[in-house]
């Protein structure tokens, strides 16, 4: 729920505007990102701002899509670093989500060429809870080092990519953030017309409804406190966790 009553300084609002603009620019440019819905710098819950996307209906999530999710998650931090020459704590959840995706790519989904199609870290799940409570280290220290290097490599490559793209699109990043600062909320159509960046899979007629709550649009969120909360379960296969993602970047 948006909290207009929360007092936000212009300094914080400016940081939030650039942070969300970073997520937004990368969402528009990415080939596999979910469709942009709207962006706001009005606080919601613990988030100072939120970038909403609409999830797709695909049951399988490709490696390229996961890399784009990490790329987009890191857009807020990259924008802060590029514009202010400094970073803040707002990207904590974005970083956590990006790292979680990268770790699962390497240890669960077999998406690392060096590690291979092997699952590392077997889980113990108590029958009475049906929840994971512990993960066994079923691999050597040498393998653990390789896993760490692969996770770091994925994150570093996508962060470098985010910095490169936002540097190339810096004028649009500044224009979008300044407009967000002034208007506070922009929908996808307004953003695309403003920046001249049109998302590949954008469909102005795309609406996803929740049957239980009459015509309530299900949105993915990316917020500035950076809580990634996905209100739609898009993917099955162990990717449901990933989707708390991207469909809400803070």
């Amino acid at each position: 729920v948006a909290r207009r009553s929360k007092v936000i300084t212009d300094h914080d609002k400016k940081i939030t505007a650039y942070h969300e603009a970073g997520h937004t620019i990368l969402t528009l440019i990415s080939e596999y990102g979910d469709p942009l819905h709207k962006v706001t710098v009005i606080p919601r819950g613990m988030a100072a701002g939120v970038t909403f996307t609409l999830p797709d209906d695909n049951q399988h999530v490709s490696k390229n899509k996961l890399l784009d999710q990490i790329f987009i998650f890191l857009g807020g931090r990259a924008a802060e670093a590029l514009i202010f020459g400094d970073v803040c704590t707002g990207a904590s959840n974005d970083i956590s989500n990006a790292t979680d995706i990268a770790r699962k790519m390497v240890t669960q989904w077999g998406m690392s060429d060096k590690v291979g199609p092997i699952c590392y870290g077997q889980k113990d799940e108590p029958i009475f809870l049906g929840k994971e409570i512990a993960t066994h280290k079923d691999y050597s220290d040498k393998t653990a080092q390789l896993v760490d290097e692969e996770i770091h490599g994925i994150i570093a490559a996508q962060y470098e990519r985010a910095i490169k793209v936002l540097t190339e699109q810096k004028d649009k990043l500044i224009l979008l953030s300044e407009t967000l600062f002034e208007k506070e909320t922009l929908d996808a159509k307004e953003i695309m017309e403003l920046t001249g960046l049109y998302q590949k899979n954008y469909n102005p007629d795309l609406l996803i409804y929740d049957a239980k709550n009459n015509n309530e649009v299900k949105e993915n969120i990316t917020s500035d406190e950076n809580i990634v909360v996905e209100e739609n379960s898009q993917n099955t296969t162990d990717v449901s966790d990933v989707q708390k993602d991207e469909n809400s970047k803070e």
Side-chain angles (χ1 to χ4, degrees), residues 48-245:
V50 185
T51 297
F52 296 92
T53 60
L54 298 171
D56 59 36
D57 295 324
N58 294 325
Q59 297 297 305
H60 297 88
V61 180
S62 69
K63 180 179 179 178
N64 283 331
K65 185 174 179 67
L66 292 170
L67 290 174
D68 267 1
Q69 288 183 348
I70 294 172
F71 169 65
I72 294 167
F73 267 124
L74 297 174
R77 166 55 63 88
E80 292 176 19
L82 179 63
I83 298 299
F84 303 107
D86 196 4
V87 294
C88 65
T89 58
S92 61
N93 277 309
D94 287 335
I95 293 171
S96 177
N97 280 294
T99 304
D100 185 55
I101 295 171
R103 180 178 294 109
K104 288 178 178 177
M105 289 176 69
V106 174
T107 63
Q108 295 182 32
W109 299 329
M111 294 180 177
S112 163
D113 292 336
K114 290 184 179 180
V115 173
I118 302 172
C119 181
Y120 289 109
Q122 296 301 312
K123 303 172 184 177
D124 276 340
E125 297 184 353
I127 296 175
F128 61 93
L129 285 179
K131 298 288 185 179
E132 171 189 342
I133 60 171
T135 301
H136 287 307
K137 181 183 175 183
D138 55 359
Y139 46 89
S140 67
D141 290 341
K142 182 178 180 180
T143 298
Q145 181 177 352
L146 177 59
V147 166
D148 287 344
E149 290 173 353
E150 287 294 277
I151 293 170
H152 181 273
I154 290 172
I155 296 294
Q158 296 310 310
Y159 183 71
E160 182 179 352
R161 179 184 167 206
I163 289 287
K164 180 177 183 294
V165 170
L166 290 179
T167 299
E168 294 170 349
Q169 303 293 335
K170 189 174 181 180
D171 57 338
K172 294 180 173 65
L173 176 67
I174 293 172
L175 175 62
L176 177 57
S177 64
E178 290 178 346
T179 306
L180 263 177
F181 184 92
E182 178 184 352
K183 295 189 175 181
E184 297 189 329
T185 300
L186 295 169
D187 64 27
K189 182 180 179 182
E190 292 173 318
I191 292 167
M192 292 182 201
E193 290 177 349
L194 176 69
T195 62
L197 297 173
Y198 289 84
Q199 191 171 17
K200 178 181 176 181
N201 60 354
Y202 174 66
N203 179 353
D205 299 320
L206 177 62
L207 288 176
I208 298 179
Y209 296 106
D210 184 344
K212 293 182 180 178
N213 305 305
N214 289 324
N215 298 340
E216 179 178 336
V217 178
K218 293 183 176 181
E219 302 159 323
N220 289 317
I221 308 165
T222 301
S223 60
D224 174 39
E225 236 280 300
N226 298 334
I227 299 169
V228 169
V229 181
E230 187 198 62
E231 300 180 359
N232 318 320
S233 31
Q234 326 176 87
N235 306 328
T236 49
T237 66
D238 208 19
V239 181
S240 53
D241 297 335
V242 170
Q243 279 149 346
K244 282 173 181 181
D245 138 3

